[in-house]
């Protein structure tokens, strides 16, 4: 265990990697595909005065362990094992994108361990493929031969036009002193598990107070999706923030205001 500013960093062989900050009722934050808990670090800083915020790296992401398998059921089980290790009987759970589906699976499978549920810009439905260009770009790079990060960015730019997406992916590129560059994200397993990641999750009968937040400029949650979610999740509320898919990065204060109000 070590201190990193106000964050407490914890890593064990058995548990998913996590960071915690603040004191109060616990909130688990679950990141999206290819992301890490660090993507939510700024947002956690807004909550830390009132809550104990726990940022996790899901399996095959960031500094958590790599596994040959990825599923929402396994990811939810990993979170439960972390809660057990931290001696937390119940926590608020916030999940973004893929992490939102983990959160929904968690609430369905372990209802007694989840207090309030907050889902950011994802529905429970099956999604169409949308990351093939990213996988293609990643697999075109032999990281063992990279000389520097600029070279990696240039190779990604050949296949990915969006600078923001390239910068996001480059956060997964690490450099070890003696062994050169490596990916912190297990792209090959996520690629082989991609259909399962896209698949729908079962939310029918979830009885928690649930808040679904969508970005007005994002296509991830439609009006039809909201109707279906209202039918399946009895105590659900819906908010829209003027932002794209990465609401926490684009409008952290607006997202904080909505979530703080919901939690209070």
């Amino acid at each position: 265990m070590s201190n990193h500013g106000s964050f407490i960093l914890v890593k064990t062989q058995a548990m998913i990697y996590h960071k915690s900050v603040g004191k109060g009722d616990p909130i688990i934050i679950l990141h999206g595909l290819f992301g890490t808990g660090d993507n939510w670090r700024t947002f956690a800083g807004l909550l830390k005065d009132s809550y104990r915020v726990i940022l996790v790296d899901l399996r095959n992401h960031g500094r958590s362990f790599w596994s040959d398998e990825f599923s929402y059921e396994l990811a939810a089980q990993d979170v439960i094992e972390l809660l057990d290790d931290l001696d937390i009987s119940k926590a608020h759970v916030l999940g973004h994108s893929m992490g939102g589906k983990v959160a929904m699976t968690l609430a369905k499978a372990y209802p007694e361990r989840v207090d309030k549920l907050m889902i950011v810009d994802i529905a429970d439905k099956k999604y169409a493929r949308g990351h093939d260009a990213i996988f293609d770009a990643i697999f075109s790079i032999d990281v063992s031969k990279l000389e520097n990060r600029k070279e990696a960015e240039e190779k990604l730019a050949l296949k990915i036009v969006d600078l923001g997406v390239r910068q996001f992916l480059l956060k997964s590129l690490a450099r070890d002193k003696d062994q050169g560059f490596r990916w912190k994200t297990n792209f090959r397993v996520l690629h082989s598990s991609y259909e399962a990641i896209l698949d729908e999750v079962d939310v029918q009968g979830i009885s928690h107070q649930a808040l679904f937040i969508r970005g007005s400029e994002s296509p991830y949650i439609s009006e039809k999706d909201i109707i279906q979610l209202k039918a399946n999740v009895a105590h659900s509320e819906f908010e829209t923030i003027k932002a794209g898919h990465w609401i926490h990065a684009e409008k952290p204060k607006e997202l904080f205001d909505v979530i703080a109000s919901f939690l209070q």
Side-chain angles (χ1 to χ4, degrees):
M1 183 181 295
S2 62
N3 285 320
H4 225 243
S6 58
F7 281 81
I8 300 171
L9 313 189
V10 182
K11 185 178 184 181
T12 69
Q13 291 299 314
M15 298 297 146
I16 50 176
Y17 180 92
H18 73 281
K19 297 178 180 180
S20 65
V21 63
K23 293 182 179 180
D25 291 340
I27 300 177
I28 298 282
I29 298 184
L30 307 174
H31 61 78
L33 184 62
F34 310 142
T36 68
D38 274 348
N39 300 150
W40 285 80
R41 185 172 180 138
T42 298
F43 186 78
L46 300 176
L47 286 169
K48 68 181 177 64
D49 290 339
S50 302
Y51 298 94
R52 177 186 179 187
V53 187
I54 301 163
L55 304 175
V56 307
D57 290 354
L58 295 168
R59 63 168 58 203
N60 292 314
H61 291 80
R63 281 168 277 195
S64 279
F65 62 88
W66 282 21
S67 164
D68 290 336
E69 297 178 284
F70 185 91
S71 71
Y72 290 123
E73 292 76 16
L74 287 172
Q77 183 179 314
D78 291 339
V79 175
I80 291 298
E81 290 178 2
L82 176 62
L83 291 176
D84 289 344
D85 191 57
L86 297 175
D87 198 26
I88 296 173
S89 60
K90 180 180 277 193
H92 302 302
V93 180
L94 186 161
H96 171 245
S97 198
M98 181 193 75
K101 284 191 170 182
V102 176
M104 288 184 264
T105 302
L106 186 68
K108 175 76 174 182
Y110 306 93
E112 74 285 355
R113 306 301 298 272
V114 176
D115 197 341
K116 290 187 177 182
L117 184 64
M118 295 153 284
I119 307 298
V120 181
D121 213 48
I122 196 76
D124 56 333
K125 67 182 180 182
K126 180 179 177 67
Y127 283 83
R129 299 183 72 91
H131 299 86
D132 291 318
I134 289 176
F135 284 119
D136 188 34
I138 293 295
F139 296 149
S140 72
I141 299 174
D142 184 348
V143 290
S144 67
K145 295 181 179 178
L146 287 177
E147 295 293 331
N148 51 57
R149 298 182 70 86
K150 185 173 185 297
E151 183 183 352
E153 200 280 333
E154 289 171 349
K155 289 180 181 294
L156 287 177
L158 296 174
K159 295 178 180 288
I160 300 174
V161 176
D162 192 313
L163 174 61
V165 173
R166 297 200 302 270
Q167 291 175 333
F168 173 70
L169 292 172
L170 286 170
K171 291 179 181 179
S172 292
L173 187 64
R175 187 169 198 171
D176 296 326
K177 220 171 211 182
D178 302 322
Q179 299 177 339
F181 287 97
R182 63 176 175 83
W183 292 114
K184 292 185 286 184
T185 303
N186 192 346
F187 288 104
R188 296 204 176 275
V189 166
L190 295 176
H191 183 251
S192 66
S193 305
Y194 189 50
E195 286 298 329
I197 292 169
L198 294 173
D199 208 0
E200 66 180 337
V201 295
D202 180 14
V203 298
Q204 201 158 20
I206 287 179
S207 59
H208 305 76
Q209 284 185 272
L211 173 64
F212 291 85
I213 305 163
R214 66 173 175 170
S216 62
E217 312 306 309
S218 168
Y220 274 74
I221 300 181
S222 68
E223 293 297 329
K224 183 180 177 181
D225 298 332
I226 291 176
I227 293 170
Q228 189 63 49
L229 284 165
K230 283 181 177 178
N232 288 334
V233 183
H235 305 292
S236 54
E237 302 175 26
F238 296 83
E239 294 283 352
T240 300
I241 293 175
K242 187 173 176 56
H245 184 55
W246 292 333
I247 301 173
H248 57 292
E250 296 176 37
K251 297 289 180 69
K253 182 59 169 62
E254 287 87 338
L255 181 62
F256 167 77
D257 289 342
V258 168
I259 285 176
S261 175
F262 174 70
L263 289 173
Q264 290 170 6

